[in-house]
């Protein structure tokens, strides 16, 4: 669950909370892809918590092979996002700007390394502006 849904449940009577949970379960059964939307929100929240710690602070800046800047904020945010994806959807592949491609545990044809789902991550789009 996210902070938003936890706050919403905390402010609701117990019966209303149970009803909300039932509605959420029904929506997931009818539209299973909604779980991915929720995960995307969780990824953004996790990356935001990390990157805001470093925003407008003095950072060591490294240069990637293409001469673009990268910081600890970029790397840690992507790491956190990858962990959330691996926990929620271990069969999904992940391609991130900082750490490249990581195949999921379940490829479509069993062994070719072709995953059905691919998450593309770039937690700080515009590191030059960030630093």
């Amino acid at each position: 669950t996210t902070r938003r849904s936890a706050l919403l449940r905390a402010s609701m009577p117990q019966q209303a909370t149970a009803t909300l949970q039932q509605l959420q379960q029904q929506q997931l059964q009818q539209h299973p892809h909604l779980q991915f939307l929720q995960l995307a929100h969780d990824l953004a929240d996790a990356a935001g918590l990390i990157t805001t710690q470093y925003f407008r602070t003095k950072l060591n800046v490294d240069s990637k092979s293409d001469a673009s800047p990268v910081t600890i904020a970029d790397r840690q945010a992507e790491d956190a996002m990858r962990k959330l994806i691996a926990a929620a959807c271990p069969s999904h592949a992940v391609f991130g700007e900082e750490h490249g491609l990581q195949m999921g545990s379940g490829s479509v044809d069993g062994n070719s390394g072709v995953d059905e789902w691919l998450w593309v991550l770039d937690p700080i789009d515009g590191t030059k502006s960030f630093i």
Side-chain angles (χ1 to χ4, degrees):
T1 62
T2 65
R3 291 179 284 145
R4 290 181 288 265
S5 58
L7 288 172
L8 180 60
R9 281 194 309 275
S11 66
M12 298 173 68
Q14 189 173 11
Q15 184 179 14
T17 300
T19 302
L20 176 63
Q21 289 172 342
Q22 289 171 346
L23 288 172
Q24 289 173 337
Q25 287 300 325
Q26 288 173 354
Q27 285 181 328
L28 282 175
Q29 289 172 353
Q30 293 172 358
H31 308 284
H33 294 97
L34 286 177
Q35 68 180 336
F36 303 140
L37 178 60
Q38 183 58 55
L39 179 55
H41 285 280
D42 294 345
L43 296 175
D45 290 344
L49 288 172
I50 292 167
T51 57
T52 54
Q53 294 175 37
Y54 293 104
F55 186 60
R56 293 191 177 165
T57 64
K58 187 171 180 136
L59 292 171
N60 289 331
V61 179
D62 298 322
S63 293
K64 294 189 282 190
S65 60
D66 64 358
S68 63
V70 62
T71 69
I72 190 171
D74 294 287
R75 292 184 181 118
Q76 284 184 358
E78 186 176 315
D79 288 343
M81 295 169 80
R82 284 175 177 271
K83 287 177 184 173
L84 287 172
I85 294 168
C89 305
S91 65
H92 293 195
V94 178
F95 179 77
E97 184 177 12
E98 310 313 330
H99 300 294
L101 180 64
Q102 178 182 357
M103 300 307 292
S105 63
S107 61
V108 171
D109 66 1
N111 63 10
S112 72
V114 177
D115 285 351
E116 183 178 7
W117 297 96
L118 171 66
W119 293 85
V120 179
L121 308 178
D122 184 6
I124 302 175
D125 185 28
T127 301
K128 285 182 183 179
S129 298
F130 182 81
I131 55 177

